[in-house]
Structures are given as structure tokens and as C-alpha cells.
PDB file of all heavy atoms in Angstrom:
ATOM      1  N   VAL A   1      96.294  79.815 104.630  1.00 95.00           N
ATOM      2  CA  VAL A   1      95.850  78.426 104.760  1.00 95.00           C
ATOM      3  C   VAL A   1      94.643  78.416 105.691  1.00 95.00           C
ATOM      4  O   VAL A   1      94.692  78.972 106.799  1.00 95.00           O
ATOM      5  CB  VAL A   1      96.953  77.517 105.339  1.00 95.00           C
ATOM      6  CG1 VAL A   1      96.438  76.091 105.504  1.00 95.00           C
ATOM      7  CG2 VAL A   1      98.175  77.530 104.447  1.00 95.00           C
ATOM      8  N   GLY A   2      93.545  77.811 105.240  1.00 93.00           N
ATOM      9  CA  GLY A   2      92.352  77.742 106.062  1.00 93.00           C
ATOM     10  C   GLY A   2      92.479  76.744 107.187  1.00 93.00           C
ATOM     11  O   GLY A   2      93.410  75.935 107.233  1.00 93.00           O
ATOM     12  N   ARG A   3      91.506  76.783 108.100  1.00 90.00           N
ATOM     13  CA  ARG A   3      91.539  75.852 109.233  1.00 90.00           C
ATOM     14  C   ARG A   3      91.428  74.400 108.783  1.00 90.00           C
ATOM     15  O   ARG A   3      91.879  73.489 109.468  1.00 90.00           O
ATOM     16  CB  ARG A   3      90.384  76.177 110.192  1.00 90.00           C
ATOM     17  CG  ARG A   3      90.530  77.513 110.906  1.00 90.00           C
ATOM     18  CD  ARG A   3      89.440  77.684 111.940  1.00 90.00           C
ATOM     19  NE  ARG A   3      88.114  77.521 111.344  1.00 90.00           N
ATOM     20  CZ  ARG A   3      87.002  77.357 112.053  1.00 90.00           C
ATOM     21  NH1 ARG A   3      87.054  77.297 113.371  1.00 90.00           N
ATOM     22  NH2 ARG A   3      85.832  77.243 111.446  1.00 90.00           N
ATOM     23  N   SER A   4      90.831  74.196 107.610  1.00 90.00           N
ATOM     24  CA  SER A   4      90.706  72.839 107.079  1.00 90.00           C
ATOM     25  C   SER A   4      91.993  72.346 106.450  1.00 90.00           C
ATOM     26  O   SER A   4      92.102  71.180 106.066  1.00 90.00           O
ATOM     27  CB  SER A   4      89.592  72.810 106.024  1.00 90.00           C
ATOM     28  OG  SER A   4      89.964  73.597 104.897  1.00 90.00           O
ATOM     29  N   GLY A   5      92.988  73.225 106.330  1.00 91.00           N
ATOM     30  CA  GLY A   5      94.226  72.888 105.651  1.00 91.00           C
ATOM     31  C   GLY A   5      94.218  73.265 104.187  1.00 91.00           C
ATOM     32  O   GLY A   5      95.220  73.070 103.489  1.00 91.00           O
ATOM     33  N   GLU A   6      93.094  73.820 103.711  1.00 92.00           N
ATOM     34  CA  GLU A   6      92.975  74.209 102.312  1.00 92.00           C
ATOM     35  C   GLU A   6      93.809  75.455 102.023  1.00 92.00           C
ATOM     36  O   GLU A   6      93.673  76.478 102.703  1.00 92.00           O
ATOM     37  CB  GLU A   6      91.504  74.502 101.987  1.00 92.00           C
ATOM     38  CG  GLU A   6      91.230  74.845 100.540  1.00 92.00           C
ATOM     39  CD  GLU A   6      91.142  73.614  99.662  1.00 92.00           C
ATOM     40  OE1 GLU A   6      91.391  72.497 100.161  1.00 92.00           O
ATOM     41  OE2 GLU A   6      90.821  73.779  98.477  1.00 92.00           O
ATOM     42  N   PRO A   7      94.695  75.428 101.022  1.00 94.00           N
ATOM     43  CA  PRO A   7      95.446  76.619 100.659  1.00 94.00           C
ATOM     44  C   PRO A   7      94.516  77.704 100.094  1.00 94.00           C
ATOM     45  O   PRO A   7      93.600  77.407  99.323  1.00 94.00           O
ATOM     46  CB  PRO A   7      96.415  76.135  99.581  1.00 94.00           C
ATOM     47  CG  PRO A   7      96.460  74.655  99.735  1.00 94.00           C
ATOM     48  CD  PRO A   7      95.109  74.253 100.222  1.00 94.00           C
ATOM     49  N   LEU A   8      94.737  78.931 100.500  1.00 95.00           N
ATOM     50  CA  LEU A   8      93.990  80.074  99.997  1.00 95.00           C
ATOM     51  C   LEU A   8      94.969  80.909  99.177  1.00 95.00           C
ATOM     52  O   LEU A   8      95.620  81.817  99.703  1.00 95.00           O
ATOM     53  CB  LEU A   8      93.398  80.882 101.155  1.00 95.00           C
ATOM     54  CG  LEU A   8      92.548  80.077 102.153  1.00 95.00           C
ATOM     55  CD1 LEU A   8      92.137  80.944 103.338  1.00 95.00           C
ATOM     56  CD2 LEU A   8      91.326  79.481 101.466  1.00 95.00           C
ATOM     57  N   VAL A   9      95.095  80.580  97.907  1.00 94.00           N
ATOM     58  CA  VAL A   9      96.169  81.160  97.100  1.00 94.00           C
ATOM     59  C   VAL A   9      96.017  82.661  96.910  1.00 94.00           C
ATOM     60  O   VAL A   9      96.993  83.346  96.596  1.00 94.00           O
ATOM     61  CB  VAL A   9      96.261  80.467  95.722  1.00 94.00           C
ATOM     62  CG1 VAL A   9      96.671  79.010  95.879  1.00 94.00           C
ATOM     63  CG2 VAL A   9      94.946  80.590  94.957  1.00 94.00           C
ATOM     64  N   ASN A  10      94.803  83.191  97.078  1.00 96.00           N
ATOM     65  CA  ASN A  10      94.601  84.622  96.891  1.00 96.00           C
ATOM     66  C   ASN A  10      94.581  85.394  98.206  1.00 96.00           C
ATOM     67  O   ASN A  10      94.174  86.554  98.248  1.00 96.00           O
ATOM     68  CB  ASN A  10      93.312  84.894  96.117  1.00 96.00           C
ATOM     69  CG  ASN A  10      92.069  84.443  96.861  1.00 96.00           C
ATOM     70  OD1 ASN A  10      92.094  83.410  97.536  1.00 96.00           O
ATOM     71  ND2 ASN A  10      90.995  85.191  96.736  1.00 96.00           N
ATOM     72  N   VAL A  11      95.006  84.747  99.301  1.00 97.00           N
ATOM     73  CA  VAL A  11      95.180  85.434 100.576  1.00 97.00           C
ATOM     74  C   VAL A  11      96.671  85.514 100.871  1.00 97.00           C
ATOM     75  O   VAL A  11      97.368  84.499 100.848  1.00 97.00           O
ATOM     76  CB  VAL A  11      94.450  84.697 101.713  1.00 97.00           C
ATOM     77  CG1 VAL A  11      94.799  85.305 103.074  1.00 97.00           C
ATOM     78  CG2 VAL A  11      92.940  84.738 101.493  1.00 97.00           C
ATOM     79  N   VAL A  12      97.163  86.725 101.126  1.00 96.00           N
ATOM     80  CA  VAL A  12      98.587  86.912 101.410  1.00 96.00           C
ATOM     81  C   VAL A  12      98.749  87.560 102.778  1.00 96.00           C
ATOM     82  O   VAL A  12      97.941  88.392 103.193  1.00 96.00           O
ATOM     83  CB  VAL A  12      99.273  87.781 100.323  1.00 96.00           C
ATOM     84  CG1 VAL A  12      99.307  87.044  98.995  1.00 96.00           C
ATOM     85  CG2 VAL A  12      98.584  89.130 100.163  1.00 96.00           C
ATOM     86  N   VAL A  13      99.790  87.134 103.475  1.00 96.00           N
ATOM     87  CA  VAL A  13     100.103  87.669 104.795  1.00 96.00           C
ATOM     88  C   VAL A  13     101.546  88.152 104.744  1.00 96.00           C
ATOM     89  O   VAL A  13     102.455  87.372 104.422  1.00 96.00           O
ATOM     90  CB  VAL A  13      99.938  86.600 105.891  1.00 96.00           C
ATOM     91  CG1 VAL A  13     100.241  87.195 107.262  1.00 96.00           C
ATOM     92  CG2 VAL A  13      98.525  86.011 105.860  1.00 96.00           C
ATOM     93  N   ASP A  14     101.770  89.442 105.042  1.00 94.00           N
ATOM     94  CA  ASP A  14     103.134  89.968 104.958  1.00 94.00           C
ATOM     95  C   ASP A  14     103.901  89.680 106.247  1.00 94.00           C
ATOM     96  O   ASP A  14     103.376  89.081 107.195  1.00 94.00           O
ATOM     97  CB  ASP A  14     103.132  91.459 104.609  1.00 94.00           C
ATOM     98  CG  ASP A  14     102.551  92.339 105.704  1.00 94.00           C
ATOM     99  OD1 ASP A  14     102.440  91.879 106.862  1.00 94.00           O
ATOM    100  OD2 ASP A  14     102.199  93.495 105.404  1.00 94.00           O
ATOM    101  N   ALA A  15     105.142  90.115 106.272  1.00 91.00           N
ATOM    102  CA  ALA A  15     106.030  89.778 107.390  1.00 91.00           C
ATOM    103  C   ALA A  15     105.528  90.336 108.714  1.00 91.00           C
ATOM    104  O   ALA A  15     105.812  89.775 109.780  1.00 91.00           O
ATOM    105  CB  ALA A  15     107.434  90.302 107.098  1.00 91.00           C
ATOM    106  N   SER A  16     104.787  91.433 108.679  1.00 91.00           N
ATOM    107  CA  SER A  16     104.278  92.034 109.913  1.00 91.00           C
ATOM    108  C   SER A  16     102.941  91.445 110.342  1.00 91.00           C
ATOM    109  O   SER A  16     102.391  91.830 111.376  1.00 91.00           O
ATOM    110  CB  SER A  16     104.135  93.544 109.736  1.00 91.00           C
ATOM    111  OG  SER A  16     103.159  93.835 108.741  1.00 91.00           O
ATOM    112  N   GLY A  17     102.391  90.535 109.546  1.00 92.00           N
ATOM    113  CA  GLY A  17     101.131  89.896 109.888  1.00 92.00           C
ATOM    114  C   GLY A  17      99.911  90.506 109.238  1.00 92.00           C
ATOM    115  O   GLY A  17      98.792  90.013 109.429  1.00 92.00           O
ATOM    116  N   ARG A  18     100.106  91.586 108.473  1.00 94.00           N
ATOM    117  CA  ARG A  18      98.957  92.195 107.785  1.00 94.00           C
ATOM    118  C   ARG A  18      98.491  91.287 106.652  1.00 94.00           C
ATOM    119  O   ARG A  18      99.309  90.763 105.886  1.00 94.00           O
ATOM    120  CB  ARG A  18      99.316  93.575 107.238  1.00 94.00           C
ATOM    121  CG  ARG A  18      99.520  94.638 108.316  1.00 94.00           C
ATOM    122  CD  ARG A  18      99.682  96.020 107.688  1.00 94.00           C
ATOM    123  NE  ARG A  18     100.895  96.076 106.902  1.00 94.00           N
ATOM    124  CZ  ARG A  18     102.067  96.525 107.359  1.00 94.00           C
ATOM    125  NH1 ARG A  18     102.158  96.939 108.607  1.00 94.00           N
ATOM    126  NH2 ARG A  18     103.123  96.559 106.589  1.00 94.00           N
ATOM    127  N   ALA A  19      97.175  91.131 106.537  1.00 96.00           N
ATOM    128  CA  ALA A  19      96.613  90.195 105.559  1.00 96.00           C
ATOM    129  C   ALA A  19      95.807  90.941 104.501  1.00 96.00           C
ATOM    130  O   ALA A  19      95.144  91.942 104.793  1.00 96.00           O
ATOM    131  CB  ALA A  19      95.726  89.168 106.250  1.00 96.00           C
ATOM    132  N   GLN A  20      95.894  90.437 103.275  1.00 96.00           N
ATOM    133  CA  GLN A  20      95.123  90.987 102.163  1.00 96.00           C
ATOM    134  C   GLN A  20      94.542  89.839 101.337  1.00 96.00           C
ATOM    135  O   GLN A  20      95.079  88.737 101.299  1.00 96.00           O
ATOM    136  CB  GLN A  20      96.013  91.852 101.252  1.00 96.00           C
ATOM    137  CG  GLN A  20      96.510  93.143 101.870  1.00 96.00           C
ATOM    138  CD  GLN A  20      97.362  93.930 100.878  1.00 96.00           C
ATOM    139  OE1 GLN A  20      98.268  93.375 100.268  1.00 96.00           O
ATOM    140  NE2 GLN A  20      97.053  95.201 100.711  1.00 96.00           N
ATOM    141  N   MET A  21      93.422  90.153 100.679  1.00 96.00           N
ATOM    142  CA  MET A  21      92.855  89.230  99.705  1.00 96.00           C
ATOM    143  C   MET A  21      93.064  89.814  98.316  1.00 96.00           C
ATOM    144  O   MET A  21      92.866  91.018  98.103  1.00 96.00           O
ATOM    145  CB  MET A  21      91.361  89.006  99.939  1.00 96.00           C
ATOM    146  CG  MET A  21      90.675  88.265  98.801  1.00 96.00           C
ATOM    147  SD  MET A  21      88.902  88.046  99.054  1.00 96.00           S
ATOM    148  CE  MET A  21      88.937  86.667 100.188  1.00 96.00           C
ATOM    149  N   ILE A  22      93.467  88.967  97.379  1.00 95.00           N
ATOM    150  CA  ILE A  22      93.613  89.380  95.982  1.00 95.00           C
ATOM    151  C   ILE A  22      92.386  88.898  95.219  1.00 95.00           C
ATOM    152  O   ILE A  22      92.107  87.690  95.170  1.00 95.00           O
ATOM    153  CB  ILE A  22      94.876  88.787  95.347  1.00 95.00           C
ATOM    154  CG1 ILE A  22      96.110  89.133  96.177  1.00 95.00           C
ATOM    155  CG2 ILE A  22      95.046  89.280  93.912  1.00 95.00           C
ATOM    156  CD1 ILE A  22      97.371  88.436  95.705  1.00 95.00           C
ATOM    157  N   ARG A  23      91.627  89.805  94.664  1.00 95.00           N
ATOM    158  CA  ARG A  23      90.455  89.397  93.897  1.00 95.00           C
ATOM    159  C   ARG A  23      90.918  88.647  92.649  1.00 95.00           C
ATOM    160  O   ARG A  23      91.751  89.139  91.871  1.00 95.00           O
ATOM    161  CB  ARG A  23      89.619  90.610  93.503  1.00 95.00           C
ATOM    162  CG  ARG A  23      88.884  91.249  94.677  1.00 95.00           C
ATOM    163  CD  ARG A  23      87.917  92.300  94.199  1.00 95.00           C
ATOM    164  NE  ARG A  23      86.977  91.724  93.242  1.00 95.00           N
ATOM    165  CZ  ARG A  23      86.225  92.461  92.422  1.00 95.00           C
ATOM    166  NH1 ARG A  23      86.333  93.787  92.434  1.00 95.00           N
ATOM    167  NH2 ARG A  23      85.400  91.881  91.590  1.00 95.00           N
ATOM    168  N   LYS A  24      90.386  87.442  92.465  1.00 94.00           N
ATOM    169  CA  LYS A  24      90.887  86.563  91.415  1.00 94.00           C
ATOM    170  C   LYS A  24      90.574  87.085  90.017  1.00 94.00           C
ATOM    171  O   LYS A  24      91.332  86.825  89.074  1.00 94.00           O
ATOM    172  CB  LYS A  24      90.298  85.163  91.596  1.00 94.00           C
ATOM    173  CG  LYS A  24      90.793  84.463  92.858  1.00 94.00           C
ATOM    174  CD  LYS A  24      90.136  83.114  93.055  1.00 94.00           C
ATOM    175  CE  LYS A  24      90.616  82.427  94.318  1.00 94.00           C
ATOM    176  NZ  LYS A  24      89.917  81.150  94.578  1.00 94.00           N
ATOM    177  N   ARG A  25      89.477  87.785  89.862  1.00 92.00           N
ATOM    178  CA  ARG A  25      89.099  88.245  88.526  1.00 92.00           C
ATOM    179  C   ARG A  25      89.814  89.523  88.126  1.00 92.00           C
ATOM    180  O   ARG A  25      90.124  89.733  86.948  1.00 92.00           O
ATOM    181  CB  ARG A  25      87.579  88.451  88.458  1.00 92.00           C
ATOM    182  CG  ARG A  25      87.034  88.812  87.085  1.00 92.00           C
ATOM    183  CD  ARG A  25      85.527  88.712  87.055  1.00 92.00           C
ATOM    184  NE  ARG A  25      84.906  89.541  88.067  1.00 92.00           N
ATOM    185  CZ  ARG A  25      84.601  90.833  87.898  1.00 92.00           C
ATOM    186  NH1 ARG A  25      84.859  91.439  86.754  1.00 92.00           N
ATOM    187  NH2 ARG A  25      84.031  91.528  88.862  1.00 92.00           N
ATOM    188  N   THR A  26      90.101  90.389  89.105  1.00 92.00           N
ATOM    189  CA  THR A  26      90.660  91.697  88.777  1.00 92.00           C
ATOM    190  C   THR A  26      92.082  91.909  89.278  1.00 92.00           C
ATOM    191  O   THR A  26      92.776  92.810  88.798  1.00 92.00           O
ATOM    192  CB  THR A  26      89.777  92.809  89.367  1.00 92.00           C
ATOM    193  OG1 THR A  26      89.841  92.747  90.804  1.00 92.00           O
ATOM    194  CG2 THR A  26      88.337  92.664  88.904  1.00 92.00           C
ATOM    195  N   GLY A  27      92.532  91.129  90.266  1.00 92.00           N
ATOM    196  CA  GLY A  27      93.850  91.349  90.848  1.00 92.00           C
ATOM    197  C   GLY A  27      93.867  92.428  91.911  1.00 92.00           C
ATOM    198  O   GLY A  27      94.924  92.699  92.501  1.00 92.00           O
ATOM    199  N   GLN A  28      92.720  93.052  92.182  1.00 93.00           N
ATOM    200  CA  GLN A  28      92.657  94.104  93.194  1.00 93.00           C
ATOM    201  C   GLN A  28      92.946  93.521  94.574  1.00 93.00           C
ATOM    202  O   GLN A  28      92.508  92.429  94.910  1.00 93.00           O
ATOM    203  CB  GLN A  28      91.262  94.736  93.195  1.00 93.00           C
ATOM    204  CG  GLN A  28      91.057  95.791  94.281  1.00 93.00           C
ATOM    205  CD  GLN A  28      89.600  96.215  94.404  1.00 93.00           C
ATOM    206  OE1 GLN A  28      88.708  95.565  93.862  1.00 93.00           O
ATOM    207  NE2 GLN A  28      89.352  97.304  95.111  1.00 93.00           N
ATOM    208  N   ARG A  29      93.712  94.272  95.372  1.00 93.00           N
ATOM    209  CA  ARG A  29      94.047  93.838  96.726  1.00 93.00           C
ATOM    210  C   ARG A  29      93.122  94.525  97.732  1.00 93.00           C
ATOM    211  O   ARG A  29      92.951  95.739  97.699  1.00 93.00           O
ATOM    212  CB  ARG A  29      95.502  94.139  97.052  1.00 93.00           C
ATOM    213  CG  ARG A  29      96.472  93.221  96.307  1.00 93.00           C
ATOM    214  CD  ARG A  29      97.882  93.361  96.827  1.00 93.00           C
ATOM    215  NE  ARG A  29      98.758  92.328  96.289  1.00 93.00           N
ATOM    216  CZ  ARG A  29      99.701  91.703  96.983  1.00 93.00           C
ATOM    217  NH1 ARG A  29      99.892  92.011  98.252  1.00 93.00           N
ATOM    218  NH2 ARG A  29     100.456  90.790  96.422  1.00 93.00           N
ATOM    219  N   LEU A  30      92.531  93.716  98.629  1.00 94.00           N
ATOM    220  CA  LEU A  30      91.624  94.220  99.653  1.00 94.00           C
ATOM    221  C   LEU A  30      92.179  93.873 101.027  1.00 94.00           C
ATOM    222  O   LEU A  30      92.587  92.737 101.270  1.00 94.00           O
ATOM    223  CB  LEU A  30      90.231  93.605  99.495  1.00 94.00           C
ATOM    224  CG  LEU A  30      89.529  93.800  98.152  1.00 94.00           C
ATOM    225  CD1 LEU A  30      88.234  92.997  98.128  1.00 94.00           C
ATOM    226  CD2 LEU A  30      89.244  95.276  97.912  1.00 94.00           C
ATOM    227  N   LYS A  31      92.176  94.834 101.934  1.00 95.00           N
ATOM    228  CA  LYS A  31      92.641  94.598 103.294  1.00 95.00           C
ATOM    229  C   LYS A  31      91.637  93.702 104.012  1.00 95.00           C
ATOM    230  O   LYS A  31      90.429  93.913 103.941  1.00 95.00           O
ATOM    231  CB  LYS A  31      92.787  95.915 104.043  1.00 95.00           C
ATOM    232  CG  LYS A  31      93.270  95.750 105.485  1.00 95.00           C
ATOM    233  CD  LYS A  31      93.357  97.100 106.189  1.00 95.00           C
ATOM    234  CE  LYS A  31      93.784  96.926 107.633  1.00 95.00           C
ATOM    235  NZ  LYS A  31      93.834  98.244 108.343  1.00 95.00           N
ATOM    236  N   LEU A  32      92.134  92.687 104.689  1.00 95.00           N
ATOM    237  CA  LEU A  32      91.271  91.784 105.452  1.00 95.00           C
ATOM    238  C   LEU A  32      91.182  92.268 106.897  1.00 95.00           C
ATOM    239  O   LEU A  32      92.193  92.367 107.591  1.00 95.00           O
ATOM    240  CB  LEU A  32      91.819  90.360 105.403  1.00 95.00           C
ATOM    241  CG  LEU A  32      91.743  89.680 104.028  1.00 95.00           C
ATOM    242  CD1 LEU A  32      92.408  88.321 104.069  1.00 95.00           C
ATOM    243  CD2 LEU A  32      90.297  89.543 103.575  1.00 95.00           C
ATOM    244  N   GLN A  33      89.968  92.556 107.318  1.00 93.00           N
ATOM    245  CA  GLN A  33      89.751  93.081 108.656  1.00 93.00           C
ATOM    246  C   GLN A  33      89.643  91.939 109.670  1.00 93.00           C
ATOM    247  O   GLN A  33      89.047  90.902 109.386  1.00 93.00           O
ATOM    248  CB  GLN A  33      88.456  93.899 108.691  1.00 93.00           C
ATOM    249  CG  GLN A  33      88.426  95.075 107.744  1.00 93.00           C
ATOM    250  CD  GLN A  33      89.318  96.215 108.201  1.00 93.00           C
ATOM    251  OE1 GLN A  33      89.882  96.173 109.297  1.00 93.00           O
ATOM    252  NE2 GLN A  33      89.461  97.223 107.370  1.00 93.00           N
ATOM    253  N   PRO A  34      90.214  92.115 110.862  1.00 94.00           N
ATOM    254  CA  PRO A  34      90.008  91.103 111.910  1.00 94.00           C
ATOM    255  C   PRO A  34      88.579  91.178 112.431  1.00 94.00           C
ATOM    256  O   PRO A  34      87.881  92.181 112.236  1.00 94.00           O
ATOM    257  CB  PRO A  34      91.007  91.515 112.986  1.00 94.00           C
ATOM    258  CG  PRO A  34      91.170  92.986 112.795  1.00 94.00           C
ATOM    259  CD  PRO A  34      91.061  93.228 111.312  1.00 94.00           C
ATOM    260  N   MET A  35      88.123  90.117 113.069  1.00 93.00           N
ATOM    261  CA  MET A  35      86.788  90.155 113.659  1.00 93.00           C
ATOM    262  C   MET A  35      86.773  91.137 114.820  1.00 93.00           C
ATOM    263  O   MET A  35      87.816  91.430 115.429  1.00 93.00           O
ATOM    264  CB  MET A  35      86.366  88.764 114.122  1.00 93.00           C
ATOM    265  CG  MET A  35      87.217  88.156 115.199  1.00 93.00           C
ATOM    266  SD  MET A  35      86.621  86.523 115.761  1.00 93.00           S
ATOM    267  CE  MET A  35      86.949  85.513 114.317  1.00 93.00           C
ATOM    268  N   ALA A  36      85.600  91.673 115.118  1.00 92.00           N
ATOM    269  CA  ALA A  36      85.457  92.592 116.241  1.00 92.00           C
ATOM    270  C   ALA A  36      85.725  91.859 117.551  1.00 92.00           C
ATOM    271  O   ALA A  36      85.533  90.638 117.655  1.00 92.00           O
ATOM    272  CB  ALA A  36      84.060  93.198 116.252  1.00 92.00           C
ATOM    273  N   ALA A  37      86.149  92.601 118.569  1.00 90.00           N
ATOM    274  CA  ALA A  37      86.472  91.993 119.864  1.00 90.00           C
ATOM    275  C   ALA A  37      85.280  91.241 120.442  1.00 90.00           C
ATOM    276  O   ALA A  37      85.433  90.168 121.030  1.00 90.00           O
ATOM    277  CB  ALA A  37      86.954  93.066 120.833  1.00 90.00           C
ATOM    278  N   VAL A  38      84.075  91.780 120.246  1.00 89.00           N
ATOM    279  CA  VAL A  38      82.888  91.134 120.802  1.00 89.00           C
ATOM    280  C   VAL A  38      82.637  89.781 120.157  1.00 89.00           C
ATOM    281  O   VAL A  38      82.075  88.875 120.776  1.00 89.00           O
ATOM    282  CB  VAL A  38      81.658  92.059 120.635  1.00 89.00           C
ATOM    283  CG1 VAL A  38      81.297  92.224 119.165  1.00 89.00           C
ATOM    284  CG2 VAL A  38      80.471  91.532 121.423  1.00 89.00           C
ATOM    285  N   CYS A  39      83.099  89.620 118.915  1.00 91.00           N
ATOM    286  CA  CYS A  39      82.909  88.334 118.223  1.00 91.00           C
ATOM    287  C   CYS A  39      83.799  87.240 118.799  1.00 91.00           C
ATOM    288  O   CYS A  39      83.519  86.047 118.601  1.00 91.00           O
ATOM    289  CB  CYS A  39      83.202  88.488 116.732  1.00 91.00           C
ATOM    290  SG  CYS A  39      82.063  89.586 115.864  1.00 91.00           S
ATOM    291  N   ALA A  40      84.865  87.628 119.465  1.00 88.00           N
ATOM    292  CA  ALA A  40      85.822  86.651 119.986  1.00 88.00           C
ATOM    293  C   ALA A  40      85.554  86.309 121.445  1.00 88.00           C
ATOM    294  O   ALA A  40      86.305  85.539 122.048  1.00 88.00           O
ATOM    295  CB  ALA A  40      87.243  87.188 119.842  1.00 88.00           C
ATOM    296  N   GLU A  41      84.496  86.880 122.018  1.00 84.00           N
ATOM    297  CA  GLU A  41      84.175  86.566 123.408  1.00 84.00           C
ATOM    298  C   GLU A  41      83.638  85.147 123.527  1.00 84.00           C
ATOM    299  O   GLU A  41      82.951  84.651 122.641  1.00 84.00           O
ATOM    300  CB  GLU A  41      83.123  87.548 123.939  1.00 84.00           C
ATOM    301  CG  GLU A  41      83.641  88.952 124.160  1.00 84.00           C
ATOM    302  CD  GLU A  41      82.585  89.856 124.760  1.00 84.00           C
ATOM    303  OE1 GLU A  41      81.386  89.519 124.676  1.00 84.00           O
ATOM    304  OE2 GLU A  41      82.962  90.894 125.313  1.00 84.00           O
ATOM    305  N   ASP A  42      83.949  84.524 124.625  1.00 79.00           N
ATOM    306  CA  ASP A  42      83.424  83.191 124.889  1.00 79.00           C
ATOM    307  C   ASP A  42      82.191  83.314 125.785  1.00 79.00           C
ATOM    308  O   ASP A  42      81.307  84.090 125.509  1.00 79.00           O
ATOM    309  CB  ASP A  42      84.509  82.313 125.512  1.00 79.00           C
ATOM    310  CG  ASP A  42      85.627  82.015 124.525  1.00 79.00           C
ATOM    311  OD1 ASP A  42      85.312  81.864 123.337  1.00 79.00           O
ATOM    312  OD2 ASP A  42      86.794  81.947 124.944  1.00 79.00           O
ATOM    313  N   GLY A  43      82.137  82.580 126.865  1.00 85.00           N
ATOM    314  CA  GLY A  43      80.982  82.679 127.746  1.00 85.00           C
ATOM    315  C   GLY A  43      79.712  82.227 127.050  1.00 85.00           C
ATOM    316  O   GLY A  43      79.677  81.195 126.376  1.00 85.00           O
ATOM    317  N   GLY A  44      78.652  83.007 127.177  1.00 87.00           N
ATOM    318  CA  GLY A  44      77.351  82.634 126.650  1.00 87.00           C
ATOM    319  C   GLY A  44      77.272  82.544 125.145  1.00 87.00           C
ATOM    320  O   GLY A  44      76.332  81.957 124.610  1.00 87.00           O
TER     321      GLY A  44
END
């Protein structure tokens, strides 16, 4: 579910919190990477 509340039907999150995207055209599953630590810094 996106921050806007929009359902993301091709994004799945398993019980351990690992997330994958399912490509809608092919069904291929891709691992979703978290953002880098530097991207989550606040400050400047």
C-alpha cells in the first residue's frame, strides 16, 4: 500500500518483511531494495 493509500497489487511483502515486485506483463518477481542509509539522513 502506497503512502497515498493506493493499493499496489503487484508488490508483496512476506511475513519476515522482505518485499518483492511482480512484473505485471511477465509475472517475474524482483527483489525490492531499501534506500541507502545516506538517503534517509535528515539535517541539510
Side-chain angles (χ1 to χ4, degrees):
V1 178
R3 292 186 305 166
S4 66
E6 183 81 355
L8 306 174
V9 295
N10 64 323
V11 172
V12 293
V13 181
D14 67 17
S16 64
R18 290 188 295 265
Q20 292 181 311
M21 169 182 281
I22 305 173
R23 289 189 57 196
K24 293 177 181 176
R25 185 168 56 87
T26 66
Q28 176 190 13
R29 288 190 170 219
L30 303 174
K31 180 182 178 182
L32 292 176
Q33 301 287 354
M35 62 178 69
V38 67
C39 295
E41 289 183 341
D42 292 324

